[in-house]
mmCIF file of all heavy atoms in Angstrom:
data_model
loop_
_atom_site.group_PDB
_atom_site.id
_atom_site.type_symbol
_atom_site.label_atom_id
_atom_site.label_comp_id
_atom_site.label_asym_id
_atom_site.label_seq_id
_atom_site.Cartn_x
_atom_site.Cartn_y
_atom_site.Cartn_z
ATOM 1 N N ALA A 1 -12.468 -29.400 42.511
ATOM 2 C CA ALA A 1 -11.286 -28.989 41.758
ATOM 3 C C ALA A 1 -10.605 -27.794 42.407
ATOM 4 O O ALA A 1 -11.243 -26.975 43.072
ATOM 5 C CB ALA A 1 -11.672 -28.638 40.316
ATOM 6 N N ASN A 2 -9.295 -27.699 42.198
ATOM 7 C CA ASN A 2 -8.536 -26.522 42.588
ATOM 8 C C ASN A 2 -8.728 -25.481 41.486
ATOM 9 O O ASN A 2 -8.223 -25.644 40.374
ATOM 10 C CB ASN A 2 -7.058 -26.884 42.756
ATOM 11 C CG ASN A 2 -6.215 -25.712 43.232
ATOM 12 O OD1 ASN A 2 -6.375 -24.589 42.769
ATOM 13 N ND2 ASN A 2 -5.301 -25.970 44.148
ATOM 14 N N VAL A 3 -9.450 -24.430 41.781
ATOM 15 C CA VAL A 3 -9.850 -23.475 40.755
ATOM 16 C C VAL A 3 -8.644 -22.794 40.122
ATOM 17 O O VAL A 3 -8.575 -22.628 38.895
ATOM 18 C CB VAL A 3 -10.816 -22.434 41.339
ATOM 19 C CG1 VAL A 3 -11.245 -21.435 40.264
ATOM 20 C CG2 VAL A 3 -12.039 -23.116 41.938
ATOM 21 N N ASP A 4 -7.675 -22.406 40.936
ATOM 22 C CA ASP A 4 -6.478 -21.760 40.386
ATOM 23 C C ASP A 4 -5.723 -22.711 39.459
ATOM 24 O O ASP A 4 -5.184 -22.289 38.423
ATOM 25 C CB ASP A 4 -5.560 -21.305 41.527
ATOM 26 C CG ASP A 4 -6.172 -20.174 42.339
ATOM 27 O OD1 ASP A 4 -7.005 -19.438 41.781
ATOM 28 O OD2 ASP A 4 -5.819 -20.038 43.530
ATOM 29 N N GLU A 5 -5.716 -23.991 39.815
ATOM 30 C CA GLU A 5 -5.021 -24.969 38.984
ATOM 31 C C GLU A 5 -5.760 -25.194 37.668
ATOM 32 O O GLU A 5 -5.130 -25.330 36.611
ATOM 33 C CB GLU A 5 -4.883 -26.300 39.741
ATOM 34 C CG GLU A 5 -4.157 -27.402 38.990
ATOM 35 C CD GLU A 5 -2.685 -27.090 38.728
ATOM 36 O OE1 GLU A 5 -2.169 -26.076 39.252
ATOM 37 O OE2 GLU A 5 -2.037 -27.872 38.001
ATOM 38 N N VAL A 6 -7.077 -25.238 37.718
ATOM 39 C CA VAL A 6 -7.849 -25.376 36.484
ATOM 40 C C VAL A 6 -7.578 -24.208 35.548
ATOM 41 O O VAL A 6 -7.373 -24.383 34.338
ATOM 42 C CB VAL A 6 -9.360 -25.472 36.800
ATOM 43 C CG1 VAL A 6 -10.190 -25.353 35.525
ATOM 44 C CG2 VAL A 6 -9.672 -26.784 37.506
ATOM 45 N N ASN A 7 -7.563 -23.001 36.085
ATOM 46 C CA ASN A 7 -7.283 -21.827 35.251
ATOM 47 C C ASN A 7 -5.867 -21.876 34.671
ATOM 48 O O ASN A 7 -5.648 -21.470 33.525
ATOM 49 C CB ASN A 7 -7.471 -20.555 36.077
ATOM 50 C CG ASN A 7 -8.935 -20.278 36.388
ATOM 51 O OD1 ASN A 7 -9.809 -20.576 35.586
ATOM 52 N ND2 ASN A 7 -9.198 -19.722 37.557
ATOM 53 N N ARG A 8 -4.924 -22.376 35.439
ATOM 54 C CA ARG A 8 -3.551 -22.502 34.941
ATOM 55 C C ARG A 8 -3.482 -23.527 33.814
ATOM 56 O O ARG A 8 -2.834 -23.304 32.779
ATOM 57 C CB ARG A 8 -2.605 -22.900 36.067
ATOM 58 C CG ARG A 8 -1.121 -22.936 35.655
ATOM 59 C CD ARG A 8 -0.244 -23.542 36.729
ATOM 60 N NE ARG A 8 -0.442 -24.985 36.830
ATOM 61 C CZ ARG A 8 0.154 -25.875 36.021
ATOM 62 N NH1 ARG A 8 0.953 -25.474 35.043
ATOM 63 N NH2 ARG A 8 -0.076 -27.159 36.188
ATOM 64 N N LEU A 9 -4.177 -24.652 33.992
ATOM 65 C CA LEU A 9 -4.137 -25.722 33.002
ATOM 66 C C LEU A 9 -4.754 -25.307 31.671
ATOM 67 O O LEU A 9 -4.377 -25.830 30.621
ATOM 68 C CB LEU A 9 -4.858 -26.960 33.541
ATOM 69 C CG LEU A 9 -4.149 -27.714 34.667
ATOM 70 C CD1 LEU A 9 -5.087 -28.735 35.305
ATOM 71 C CD2 LEU A 9 -2.890 -28.405 34.142
ATOM 72 N N LEU A 10 -5.680 -24.357 31.696
ATOM 73 C CA LEU A 10 -6.349 -23.925 30.471
ATOM 74 C C LEU A 10 -5.760 -22.644 29.899
ATOM 75 O O LEU A 10 -6.314 -22.072 28.966
ATOM 76 C CB LEU A 10 -7.849 -23.739 30.747
ATOM 77 C CG LEU A 10 -8.587 -25.011 31.186
ATOM 78 C CD1 LEU A 10 -10.057 -24.716 31.424
ATOM 79 C CD2 LEU A 10 -8.428 -26.119 30.156
ATOM 80 N N ASP A 11 -4.631 -22.216 30.439
ATOM 81 C CA ASP A 11 -3.937 -21.024 29.950
ATOM 82 C C ASP A 11 -2.671 -21.464 29.218
ATOM 83 O O ASP A 11 -1.731 -21.958 29.839
ATOM 84 C CB ASP A 11 -3.572 -20.109 31.117
ATOM 85 C CG ASP A 11 -2.983 -18.791 30.642
ATOM 86 O OD1 ASP A 11 -2.677 -18.656 29.443
ATOM 87 O OD2 ASP A 11 -2.821 -17.879 31.478
ATOM 88 N N PRO A 12 -2.612 -21.338 27.888
ATOM 89 C CA PRO A 12 -1.437 -21.801 27.125
ATOM 90 C C PRO A 12 -0.127 -21.170 27.588
ATOM 91 O O PRO A 12 0.939 -21.761 27.401
ATOM 92 C CB PRO A 12 -1.767 -21.383 25.683
ATOM 93 C CG PRO A 12 -3.245 -21.222 25.646
ATOM 94 C CD PRO A 12 -3.637 -20.755 27.013
ATOM 95 N N ALA A 13 -0.194 -20.005 28.187
ATOM 96 C CA ALA A 13 1.027 -19.336 28.630
ATOM 97 C C ALA A 13 1.573 -19.928 29.920
ATOM 98 O O ALA A 13 2.727 -19.665 30.278
ATOM 99 C CB ALA A 13 0.755 -17.837 28.832
ATOM 100 N N ARG A 14 0.781 -20.770 30.609
ATOM 101 C CA ARG A 14 1.227 -21.290 31.904
ATOM 102 C C ARG A 14 1.142 -22.804 32.048
ATOM 103 O O ARG A 14 1.482 -23.339 33.102
ATOM 104 C CB ARG A 14 0.396 -20.651 33.024
ATOM 105 C CG ARG A 14 0.522 -19.142 33.117
ATOM 106 C CD ARG A 14 -0.213 -18.632 34.347
ATOM 107 N NE ARG A 14 -1.658 -18.812 34.242
ATOM 108 C CZ ARG A 14 -2.471 -18.918 35.294
ATOM 109 N NH1 ARG A 14 -1.990 -18.895 36.521
ATOM 110 N NH2 ARG A 14 -3.774 -19.058 35.110
ATOM 111 N N ASN A 15 0.690 -23.525 31.020
ATOM 112 C CA ASN A 15 0.449 -24.963 31.193
ATOM 113 C C ASN A 15 1.451 -25.859 30.476
ATOM 114 O O ASN A 15 1.183 -27.044 30.238
ATOM 115 C CB ASN A 15 -0.964 -25.313 30.727
ATOM 116 C CG ASN A 15 -1.158 -25.108 29.224
ATOM 117 O OD1 ASN A 15 -0.231 -24.734 28.517
ATOM 118 N ND2 ASN A 15 -2.362 -25.348 28.748
ATOM 119 N N GLN A 16 2.636 -25.311 30.121
ATOM 120 C CA GLN A 16 3.595 -26.111 29.358
ATOM 121 C C GLN A 16 4.090 -27.337 30.118
ATOM 122 O O GLN A 16 4.411 -28.364 29.510
ATOM 123 C CB GLN A 16 4.807 -25.255 28.943
ATOM 124 C CG GLN A 16 4.530 -24.201 27.897
ATOM 125 C CD GLN A 16 4.007 -22.913 28.509
ATOM 126 O OE1 GLN A 16 3.746 -22.856 29.709
ATOM 127 N NE2 GLN A 16 3.852 -21.879 27.688
ATOM 128 N N ASP A 17 4.161 -27.272 31.433
ATOM 129 C CA ASP A 17 4.696 -28.384 32.212
ATOM 130 C C ASP A 17 3.622 -29.359 32.681
ATOM 131 O O ASP A 17 3.887 -30.258 33.481
ATOM 132 C CB ASP A 17 5.454 -27.857 33.440
ATOM 133 C CG ASP A 17 4.562 -27.031 34.364
ATOM 134 O OD1 ASP A 17 3.486 -26.598 33.901
ATOM 135 O OD2 ASP A 17 4.963 -26.828 35.526
ATOM 136 N N SER A 18 2.393 -29.222 32.183
ATOM 137 C CA SER A 18 1.298 -30.109 32.592
ATOM 138 C C SER A 18 1.036 -31.152 31.521
ATOM 139 O O SER A 18 1.356 -30.969 30.339
ATOM 140 C CB SER A 18 0.028 -29.301 32.857
ATOM 141 O OG SER A 18 -0.353 -28.596 31.689
ATOM 142 N N THR A 19 0.428 -32.249 31.914
ATOM 143 C CA THR A 19 0.130 -33.333 30.979
ATOM 144 C C THR A 19 -1.170 -33.056 30.239
ATOM 145 O O THR A 19 -2.011 -32.267 30.685
ATOM 146 C CB THR A 19 0.017 -34.663 31.719
ATOM 147 O OG1 THR A 19 -1.135 -34.621 32.588
ATOM 148 C CG2 THR A 19 1.275 -34.942 32.551
ATOM 149 N N LEU A 20 -1.348 -33.743 29.101
ATOM 150 C CA LEU A 20 -2.589 -33.599 28.347
ATOM 151 C C LEU A 20 -3.777 -34.126 29.146
ATOM 152 O O LEU A 20 -4.893 -33.608 29.021
ATOM 153 C CB LEU A 20 -2.482 -34.352 27.020
ATOM 154 C CG LEU A 20 -1.566 -33.715 25.957
ATOM 155 C CD1 LEU A 20 -1.510 -34.601 24.728
ATOM 156 C CD2 LEU A 20 -2.075 -32.330 25.586
ATOM 157 N N ALA A 21 -3.549 -35.153 29.951
ATOM 158 C CA ALA A 21 -4.629 -35.692 30.771
ATOM 159 C C ALA A 21 -5.129 -34.651 31.766
ATOM 160 O O ALA A 21 -6.343 -34.509 31.987
ATOM 161 C CB ALA A 21 -4.150 -36.939 31.509
ATOM 162 N N GLU A 22 -4.213 -33.899 32.364
ATOM 163 C CA GLU A 22 -4.604 -32.857 33.311
ATOM 164 C C GLU A 22 -5.364 -31.733 32.609
ATOM 165 O O GLU A 22 -6.388 -31.246 33.099
ATOM 166 C CB GLU A 22 -3.360 -32.296 34.008
ATOM 167 C CG GLU A 22 -2.663 -33.280 34.927
ATOM 168 C CD GLU A 22 -1.350 -32.742 35.456
ATOM 169 O OE1 GLU A 22 -0.657 -31.996 34.706
ATOM 170 O OE2 GLU A 22 -1.007 -33.055 36.609
ATOM 171 N N GLN A 23 -4.859 -31.333 31.449
ATOM 172 C CA GLN A 23 -5.540 -30.281 30.689
ATOM 173 C C GLN A 23 -6.923 -30.744 30.236
ATOM 174 O O GLN A 23 -7.905 -29.990 30.299
ATOM 175 C CB GLN A 23 -4.701 -29.900 29.478
ATOM 176 C CG GLN A 23 -3.358 -29.278 29.818
ATOM 177 C CD GLN A 23 -2.528 -29.007 28.570
ATOM 178 O OE1 GLN A 23 -3.076 -28.663 27.517
ATOM 179 N NE2 GLN A 23 -1.219 -29.165 28.673
ATOM 180 N N GLY A 24 -7.004 -32.002 29.793
ATOM 181 C CA GLY A 24 -8.280 -32.536 29.312
ATOM 182 C C GLY A 24 -9.323 -32.602 30.409
ATOM 183 O O GLY A 24 -10.499 -32.263 30.190
ATOM 184 N N LEU A 25 -8.917 -33.033 31.603
ATOM 185 C CA LEU A 25 -9.859 -33.105 32.717
ATOM 186 C C LEU A 25 -10.356 -31.720 33.099
ATOM 187 O O LEU A 25 -11.555 -31.527 33.351
ATOM 188 C CB LEU A 25 -9.186 -33.773 33.922
ATOM 189 C CG LEU A 25 -10.053 -33.865 35.185
ATOM 190 C CD1 LEU A 25 -11.321 -34.665 34.923
ATOM 191 C CD2 LEU A 25 -9.257 -34.478 36.335
ATOM 192 N N ALA A 26 -9.454 -30.751 33.120
ATOM 193 C CA ALA A 26 -9.852 -29.379 33.463
ATOM 194 C C ALA A 26 -10.863 -28.845 32.459
ATOM 195 O O ALA A 26 -11.881 -28.242 32.837
ATOM 196 C CB ALA A 26 -8.616 -28.485 33.520
ATOM 197 N N LEU A 27 -10.601 -29.065 31.160
ATOM 198 C CA LEU A 27 -11.521 -28.585 30.130
ATOM 199 C C LEU A 27 -12.857 -29.302 30.239
ATOM 200 O O LEU A 27 -13.923 -28.681 30.090
ATOM 201 C CB LEU A 27 -10.920 -28.795 28.747
ATOM 202 C CG LEU A 27 -11.807 -28.368 27.568
ATOM 203 C CD1 LEU A 27 -12.123 -26.889 27.632
ATOM 204 C CD2 LEU A 27 -11.144 -28.714 26.238
ATOM 205 N N ARG A 28 -12.814 -30.599 30.498
ATOM 206 C CA ARG A 28 -14.049 -31.372 30.609
ATOM 207 C C ARG A 28 -14.924 -30.848 31.743
ATOM 208 O O ARG A 28 -16.145 -30.734 31.608
ATOM 209 C CB ARG A 28 -13.705 -32.842 30.829
ATOM 210 C CG ARG A 28 -14.910 -33.755 30.837
ATOM 211 C CD ARG A 28 -14.516 -35.213 31.016
ATOM 212 N NE ARG A 28 -15.695 -36.043 30.825
ATOM 213 C CZ ARG A 28 -16.127 -36.446 29.645
ATOM 214 N NH1 ARG A 28 -15.483 -36.087 28.548
ATOM 215 N NH2 ARG A 28 -17.207 -37.200 29.541
ATOM 216 N N GLN A 29 -14.325 -30.510 32.861
ATOM 217 C CA GLN A 29 -15.091 -29.989 33.990
ATOM 218 C C GLN A 29 -15.719 -28.636 33.657
ATOM 219 O O GLN A 29 -16.886 -28.381 33.997
ATOM 220 C CB GLN A 29 -14.176 -29.874 35.217
ATOM 221 C CG GLN A 29 -13.732 -31.226 35.762
ATOM 222 C CD GLN A 29 -12.635 -31.111 36.799
ATOM 223 O OE1 GLN A 29 -11.946 -30.080 36.885
ATOM 224 N NE2 GLN A 29 -12.440 -32.147 37.584
ATOM 225 N N VAL A 30 -14.967 -27.780 32.991
ATOM 226 C CA VAL A 30 -15.480 -26.465 32.613
ATOM 227 C C VAL A 30 -16.654 -26.594 31.643
ATOM 228 O O VAL A 30 -17.711 -25.967 31.822
ATOM 229 C CB VAL A 30 -14.359 -25.607 31.994
ATOM 230 C CG1 VAL A 30 -14.937 -24.371 31.300
ATOM 231 C CG2 VAL A 30 -13.365 -25.179 33.062
ATOM 232 N N VAL A 31 -16.485 -27.411 30.610
ATOM 233 C CA VAL A 31 -17.541 -27.591 29.614
ATOM 234 C C VAL A 31 -18.788 -28.209 30.248
ATOM 235 O O VAL A 31 -19.921 -27.824 29.934
ATOM 236 C CB VAL A 31 -17.021 -28.458 28.447
ATOM 237 C CG1 VAL A 31 -18.160 -28.802 27.477
ATOM 238 C CG2 VAL A 31 -15.911 -27.731 27.699
ATOM 239 N N SER A 32 -18.593 -29.155 31.158
ATOM 240 C CA SER A 32 -19.732 -29.790 31.827
ATOM 241 C C SER A 32 -20.576 -28.766 32.576
ATOM 242 O O SER A 32 -21.813 -28.797 32.518
ATOM 243 C CB SER A 32 -19.238 -30.864 32.800
ATOM 244 O OG SER A 32 -18.625 -31.930 32.112
ATOM 245 N N LEU A 33 -19.939 -27.831 33.260
ATOM 246 C CA LEU A 33 -20.683 -26.820 34.011
ATOM 247 C C LEU A 33 -21.403 -25.847 33.084
ATOM 248 O O LEU A 33 -22.506 -25.372 33.392
ATOM 249 C CB LEU A 33 -19.742 -26.066 34.949
ATOM 250 C CG LEU A 33 -19.220 -26.871 36.141
ATOM 251 C CD1 LEU A 33 -18.233 -26.049 36.947
ATOM 252 C CD2 LEU A 33 -20.374 -27.327 37.030
ATOM 253 N N MET A 34 -20.789 -25.541 31.952
ATOM 254 C CA MET A 34 -21.445 -24.651 30.997
ATOM 255 C C MET A 34 -22.694 -25.293 30.412
ATOM 256 O O MET A 34 -23.693 -24.616 30.150
ATOM 257 C CB MET A 34 -20.469 -24.261 29.887
ATOM 258 C CG MET A 34 -19.353 -23.357 30.349
ATOM 259 S SD MET A 34 -18.217 -22.949 29.013
ATOM 260 C CE MET A 34 -17.050 -21.891 29.883
ATOM 261 N N ILE A 35 -22.661 -26.601 30.205
ATOM 262 C CA ILE A 35 -23.836 -27.313 29.714
ATOM 263 C C ILE A 35 -24.861 -27.477 30.822
ATOM 264 O O ILE A 35 -26.065 -27.357 30.606
ATOM 265 C CB ILE A 35 -23.422 -28.694 29.155
ATOM 266 C CG1 ILE A 35 -22.464 -28.536 27.977
ATOM 267 C CG2 ILE A 35 -24.651 -29.492 28.736
ATOM 268 C CD1 ILE A 35 -21.847 -29.844 27.514
ATOM 269 N N ALA A 36 -24.376 -27.741 32.043
ATOM 270 C CA ALA A 36 -25.266 -28.011 33.170
ATOM 271 C C ALA A 36 -26.166 -26.831 33.497
ATOM 272 O O ALA A 36 -27.231 -27.011 34.107
ATOM 273 C CB ALA A 36 -24.451 -28.400 34.399
ATOM 274 N N HIS A 37 -25.780 -25.625 33.114
ATOM 275 C CA HIS A 37 -26.604 -24.447 33.425
ATOM 276 C C HIS A 37 -28.007 -24.578 32.853
ATOM 277 O O HIS A 37 -28.957 -23.997 33.387
ATOM 278 C CB HIS A 37 -25.935 -23.189 32.877
ATOM 279 C CG HIS A 37 -26.840 -21.991 32.871
ATOM 280 N ND1 HIS A 37 -27.455 -21.515 34.012
ATOM 281 C CD2 HIS A 37 -27.252 -21.186 31.857
ATOM 282 C CE1 HIS A 37 -28.199 -20.461 33.701
ATOM 283 N NE2 HIS A 37 -28.095 -20.250 32.404
ATOM 284 N N ARG A 38 -28.175 -25.362 31.783
ATOM 285 C CA ARG A 38 -29.495 -25.493 31.169
ATOM 286 C C ARG A 38 -30.487 -26.165 32.121
ATOM 287 O O ARG A 38 -31.646 -25.784 32.171
ATOM 288 C CB ARG A 38 -29.383 -26.314 29.879
ATOM 289 C CG ARG A 38 -28.442 -25.698 28.861
ATOM 290 C CD ARG A 38 -28.156 -26.663 27.732
ATOM 291 N NE ARG A 38 -27.162 -26.136 26.796
ATOM 292 C CZ ARG A 38 -26.645 -26.830 25.787
ATOM 293 N NH1 ARG A 38 -27.040 -28.077 25.596
ATOM 294 N NH2 ARG A 38 -25.738 -26.285 24.991
ATOM 295 N N ARG A 39 -30.020 -27.179 32.843
ATOM 296 C CA ARG A 39 -30.862 -27.886 33.828
ATOM 297 C C ARG A 39 -29.974 -28.283 35.004
ATOM 298 O O ARG A 39 -29.702 -29.461 35.219
ATOM 299 C CB ARG A 39 -31.505 -29.125 33.205
ATOM 300 C CG ARG A 39 -32.448 -28.846 32.048
ATOM 301 C CD ARG A 39 -32.920 -30.144 31.412
ATOM 302 N NE ARG A 39 -33.664 -30.974 32.363
ATOM 303 C CZ ARG A 39 -33.982 -32.252 32.122
ATOM 304 N NH1 ARG A 39 -33.608 -32.835 30.994
ATOM 305 N NH2 ARG A 39 -34.663 -32.949 33.026
ATOM 306 N N PRO A 40 -29.508 -27.329 35.779
ATOM 307 C CA PRO A 40 -28.482 -27.635 36.793
ATOM 308 C C PRO A 40 -28.930 -28.631 37.858
ATOM 309 O O PRO A 40 -28.158 -29.501 38.268
ATOM 310 C CB PRO A 40 -28.163 -26.264 37.395
ATOM 311 C CG PRO A 40 -29.337 -25.407 37.063
ATOM 312 C CD PRO A 40 -29.851 -25.901 35.762
ATOM 313 N N SER A 41 -30.170 -28.512 38.322
ATOM 314 C CA SER A 41 -30.626 -29.417 39.376
ATOM 315 C C SER A 41 -30.671 -30.862 38.903
ATOM 316 O O SER A 41 -30.526 -31.796 39.703
ATOM 317 C CB SER A 41 -32.011 -28.993 39.877
ATOM 318 O OG SER A 41 -31.956 -27.712 40.463
ATOM 319 N N TYR A 42 -30.871 -31.062 37.606
ATOM 320 C CA TYR A 42 -30.881 -32.423 37.053
ATOM 321 C C TYR A 42 -29.474 -32.896 36.698
ATOM 322 O O TYR A 42 -29.020 -33.940 37.160
ATOM 323 C CB TYR A 42 -31.777 -32.471 35.808
ATOM 324 C CG TYR A 42 -31.613 -33.741 35.000
ATOM 325 C CD1 TYR A 42 -32.106 -34.961 35.467
ATOM 326 C CD2 TYR A 42 -30.953 -33.728 33.763
ATOM 327 C CE1 TYR A 42 -31.942 -36.131 34.731
ATOM 328 C CE2 TYR A 42 -30.794 -34.885 33.028
ATOM 329 C CZ TYR A 42 -31.289 -36.080 33.508
ATOM 330 O OH TYR A 42 -31.117 -37.229 32.775
ATOM 331 N N TYR A 43 -28.774 -32.109 35.888
ATOM 332 C CA TYR A 43 -27.470 -32.554 35.383
ATOM 333 C C TYR A 43 -26.444 -32.746 36.496
ATOM 334 O O TYR A 43 -25.586 -33.624 36.409
ATOM 335 C CB TYR A 43 -26.937 -31.552 34.363
ATOM 336 C CG TYR A 43 -27.557 -31.684 32.992
ATOM 337 C CD1 TYR A 43 -28.029 -30.558 32.326
ATOM 338 C CD2 TYR A 43 -27.665 -32.908 32.366
ATOM 339 C CE1 TYR A 43 -28.600 -30.663 31.064
ATOM 340 C CE2 TYR A 43 -28.236 -33.026 31.102
ATOM 341 C CZ TYR A 43 -28.700 -31.899 30.459
ATOM 342 O OH TYR A 43 -29.259 -32.002 29.216
ATOM 343 N N LEU A 44 -26.492 -31.942 37.536
ATOM 344 C CA LEU A 44 -25.478 -32.015 38.589
ATOM 345 C C LEU A 44 -25.855 -32.980 39.711
ATOM 346 O O LEU A 44 -25.101 -33.142 40.668
ATOM 347 C CB LEU A 44 -25.218 -30.621 39.155
ATOM 348 C CG LEU A 44 -24.625 -29.638 38.148
ATOM 349 C CD1 LEU A 44 -24.581 -28.229 38.723
ATOM 350 C CD2 LEU A 44 -23.234 -30.072 37.711
ATOM 351 N N ALA A 45 -27.004 -33.631 39.572
ATOM 352 C CA ALA A 45 -27.431 -34.626 40.572
ATOM 353 C C ALA A 45 -27.593 -35.976 39.883
ATOM 354 O O ALA A 45 -26.608 -36.660 39.594
ATOM 355 C CB ALA A 45 -28.721 -34.169 41.243
ATOM 356 N N GLN A 46 -28.828 -36.361 39.562
ATOM 357 C CA GLN A 46 -29.052 -37.680 38.983
ATOM 358 C C GLN A 46 -28.739 -37.749 37.496
ATOM 359 O O GLN A 46 -28.713 -38.851 36.927
ATOM 360 C CB GLN A 46 -30.504 -38.122 39.220
ATOM 361 C CG GLN A 46 -31.548 -37.340 38.432
ATOM 362 C CD GLN A 46 -32.076 -36.152 39.183
ATOM 363 O OE1 GLN A 46 -31.383 -35.596 40.040
ATOM 364 N NE2 GLN A 46 -33.298 -35.750 38.890
ATOM 365 N N GLY A 47 -28.486 -36.618 36.850
ATOM 366 C CA GLY A 47 -28.248 -36.630 35.404
ATOM 367 C C GLY A 47 -26.785 -36.574 35.008
ATOM 368 O O GLY A 47 -26.466 -36.106 33.905
#
């Protein structure tokens, strides 16, 4: 992912011209990494 773009998509002050699909994907990636911290070697590979 483009990190600057993900941060823009999740900032209400800067994401007015983006689609809901783009915002949803960015949020999904962020949430996935926050969950993956519990078992990163598993969740980010075969899990």
Side-chain angles (χ1 to χ4, degrees):
N2 183 318
V3 180
D4 292 334
E5 181 65 8
V6 169
N7 289 326
R8 185 189 72 82
L9 289 168
L10 298 180
D11 186 350
R14 299 186 293 155
N15 66 2
Q16 290 85 354
D17 60 343
S18 59
T19 66
L20 288 177
E22 293 173 326
Q23 296 176 35
L25 178 60
L27 178 61
R28 185 178 188 84
Q29 292 169 341
V30 167
V31 173
S32 294
L33 290 176
M34 291 179 180
I35 298 171
H37 167 57
R38 301 169 185 174
R39 298 174 62 192
S41 297
Y42 167 72
Y43 281 132
L44 296 172
Q46 70 269 27

